[in-house]
């Protein structure tokens, strides 16, 4: 319930700090063999711009759920609002420029020993959250993940590929050719698409005791787009122990992107300083093919295409079922 979210109120003084920001992009771009140099540069420029957006020098009042030593971890499927959610915590915690990649986990070390983690890789993320909680294993720990309509999610995922990036500024391609390229990609990449669906969200939900996506969607319908799960552990041992889950004493906030207009209200229940600032829309970043992108967002998969993606995987099948696709 919402009452479990609010564990206490601690009012900290306002801090106004003007910093010169030097952003060093430390992540690695995973390009397919044969990706063009210009495509790689576009990705790098976008990631640099995104990382710069994580820091806002304006002072923000920090209150309620996250006392010193708290951890906020965005463990998310790609193209499900990861950057938007991580950005909200980074700005709220006033993390500044003290961040870096540890493997495939982006970690922000914030004032008063708070930390923000951001990753698409569950196992690596679990190790980092264990390390992050080593100083204050008893302090608040919030894991955040989200889900998105597969029809829209697939279109967004396609535009994140090298092929999608290369088409961003392509003014001459017809809508029919664009849609056909998208359909060809679905068939060609069905294995990696299924992996993206099943590698993080299903096992994470199961670790926190979720019985099914349908059950969580019923909670979301009642709550206005979110559900809360407490880690089901009767163990009293420390989450930093290698024999204990790093999620011990953590909560999982499960969000639905179709209700993202409510995210600010939802997150404000954790802390009034948490404000959602969405990343730029794909159509704004790729105006040349905005109409084409709209076409693939509205493209309905054939039964054959859906079957290729699901491939008998029960988690992938459930994902399509809860959206009645």
């Amino acid at each position: 319930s919402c009452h479990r979210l609010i564990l206490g109120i601690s009012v900290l003084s306002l801090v106004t700090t003007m910093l010169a920001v030097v952003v060093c992009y430390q992540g690695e771009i995973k390009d397919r063999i044969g990706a063009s140099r210009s495509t790689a540069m576009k990705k790098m420029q976008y990631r640099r711009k995104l990382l710069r957006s994580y820091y806002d020098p304006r002072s923000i009042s920090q209150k309620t759920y996250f006392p010193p030593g708290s951890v906020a971890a965005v463990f998310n499927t790609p193209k499900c609002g990861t950057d938007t959610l991580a950005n909200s915590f980074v700005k709220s915690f006033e993390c500044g420029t003290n961040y870096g990649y540890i493997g495939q986990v982006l970690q922000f070390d914030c004032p008063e020993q708070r930390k923000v983690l951001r990753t698409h890789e569950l196992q690596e993320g679990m190790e980092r959250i264990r390390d992050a909680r080593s100083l204050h294993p008893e302090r608040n720990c919030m894991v955040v993940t989200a889900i998105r309509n597969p029809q829209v999610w697939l279109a967004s995922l396609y535009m994140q590929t090298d092929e999608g990036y290369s088409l961003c500024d392509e003014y001459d391609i017809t809508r029919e050719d664009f849609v056909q390229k998208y359909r060809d990609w679905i068939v060609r990449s069905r294995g990696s698409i299924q992996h993206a669906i099943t590698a993080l969200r299903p096992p994470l939900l199961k670790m926190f005791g979720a019985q099914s996506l349908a059950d969580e969607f019923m909670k979301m319908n009642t709550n206005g787009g979110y559900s809360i799960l407490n880690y089901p552990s009767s163990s009293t041992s420390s989450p930093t122990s290698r024999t204990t889950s790093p999620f011990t004493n953590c909560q999982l906030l499960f969000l639905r992107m179709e209700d993202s207009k409510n995210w600010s209200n939802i997150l404000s229940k954790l802390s009034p300083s948490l404000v959602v600032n969405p990343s730029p829309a794909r159509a704004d970043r790729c105006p040349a093919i905005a109409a084409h992108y709209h076409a693939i967002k509205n493209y309905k998969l054939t039964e054959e295409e859906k079957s290729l993606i699901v491939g008998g995987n029960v988690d992938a099948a459930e994902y399509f079922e809860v959206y009645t696709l």
Side-chain angles (χ1 to χ4, degrees):
S1 69
C2 294
H3 295 295
R4 291 185 179 180
L5 291 175
I6 305 174
L7 303 181
I9 299 177
S10 57
V11 181
L12 302 178
S13 60
L14 292 175
V15 179
T16 304
T17 308
M18 299 302 296
L19 296 175
V21 179
V22 178
V23 176
C24 179
Y25 177 70
Q26 298 179 353
E28 291 184 2
I29 297 176
K30 295 182 176 179
D31 291 312
R32 293 179 185 173
I33 296 174
S36 68
R37 186 182 183 90
S38 62
T39 297
M41 287 300 296
K42 285 181 182 179
K43 284 190 174 185
M44 184 175 292
Q45 289 165 1
Y46 173 67
R47 296 301 302 167
R48 283 175 173 166
K49 180 179 179 181
L50 186 62
L51 287 173
R52 281 196 297 269
S53 76
Y54 278 127
Y55 178 64
D56 185 344
R58 293 175 300 173
S59 176
I60 303 174
S61 177
Q62 174 62 45
K63 300 178 181 179
T64 70
Y65 187 86
F66 299 99
S70 298
V71 175
V74 180
F75 288 9
N76 209 8
T77 301
K79 311 314 299 174
C80 286
T82 308
D83 296 320
T84 294
L85 292 167
N87 195 12
S88 299
F89 287 102
V90 167
K91 289 185 176 181
S92 176
F93 291 0
E94 298 181 336
C95 299
T97 59
N98 190 15
Y99 63 83
Y101 277 94
I102 305 175
Q104 298 187 63
V105 181
L106 181 59
Q107 177 171 308
F108 289 81
D109 297 318
C110 313
E112 298 186 301
Q113 299 180 330
R114 295 184 183 90
K115 293 183 183 295
V116 177
L117 307 178
R118 172 204 180 281
T119 189
H120 300 309
E121 300 294 330
L122 180 57
Q123 293 304 317
E124 282 197 46
M126 290 174 67
E127 289 305 308
R128 298 289 75 77
I129 202 170
R130 189 192 303 279
D131 294 341
R133 300 184 70 199
S134 61
L135 291 177
H136 298 284
E138 78 287 352
R139 297 293 175 83
N140 293 352
C141 161
M142 175 61 72
V143 181
V144 184
T145 197
I147 194 168
R148 189 178 193 178
N149 185 307
Q151 189 169 298
V152 180
W153 174 75
L154 276 169
S156 183
L157 191 67
Y158 173 65
M159 293 304 298
Q160 192 73 8
T161 66
D162 293 332
E163 182 175 284
Y165 263 93
S166 69
L167 295 172
C168 184
D169 298 323
E170 182 58 67
Y171 283 87
D172 296 329
I173 188 169
T174 66
R175 183 177 304 187
E176 290 72 20
D177 287 344
F178 190 90
V179 172
Q180 188 59 53
K181 282 180 176 291
Y182 173 63
R183 296 186 65 186
D184 292 343
W185 168 78
I186 290 173
V187 174
R188 187 174 65 246
S189 305
R190 57 191 182 274
S192 60
I193 293 171
Q194 185 196 97
H195 178 79
I197 294 170
T198 61
L200 187 145
R201 184 173 54 240
L204 180 63
L205 288 171
K206 289 171 185 174
M207 287 179 189
F208 277 84
Q211 298 301 306
S212 68
L213 270 181
D215 286 349
E216 297 310 306
F217 265 48
M218 288 179 65
K219 297 176 188 176
M220 289 177 174
N221 293 340
T222 300
N223 297 338
Y226 75 93
S227 70
I228 289 286
L229 293 160
N230 294 304
Y231 187 76
S233 175
S234 58
S235 172
T236 57
S237 53
S238 169
T240 59
S241 168
R242 294 293 161 179
T243 61
T244 306
S245 170
F247 294 135
T248 299
N249 303 324
C250 291
Q251 288 186 307
L252 175 64
L253 174 63
F254 187 23
L255 298 164
R256 188 166 55 193
M257 281 200 71
E258 290 71 47
D259 299 287
S260 59
K261 63 183 182 300
N262 297 332
W263 283 7
S264 286
N265 291 333
I266 293 167
L267 292 179
S268 69
K269 296 174 183 177
L270 301 175
S271 172
S273 66
L274 282 167
V275 178
V276 175
N277 296 301
S279 301
R282 176 67 61 182
D284 294 333
R285 297 203 300 269
C286 301
I289 49 89
H292 300 351
Y293 179 60
H294 182 75
I296 63 173
K297 280 173 60 179
N298 289 290
Y299 173 74
K300 293 185 178 180
L301 296 176
T302 65
E303 287 301 317
E304 181 182 3
E305 289 166 339
K306 187 169 67 174
S307 179
L308 284 172
I309 294 172
V310 171
N313 185 285
V314 293
D315 292 321
E318 186 183 29
Y319 175 43
F320 284 95
E321 286 169 6
V322 293
Y323 279 98
T324 63
L325 296 177

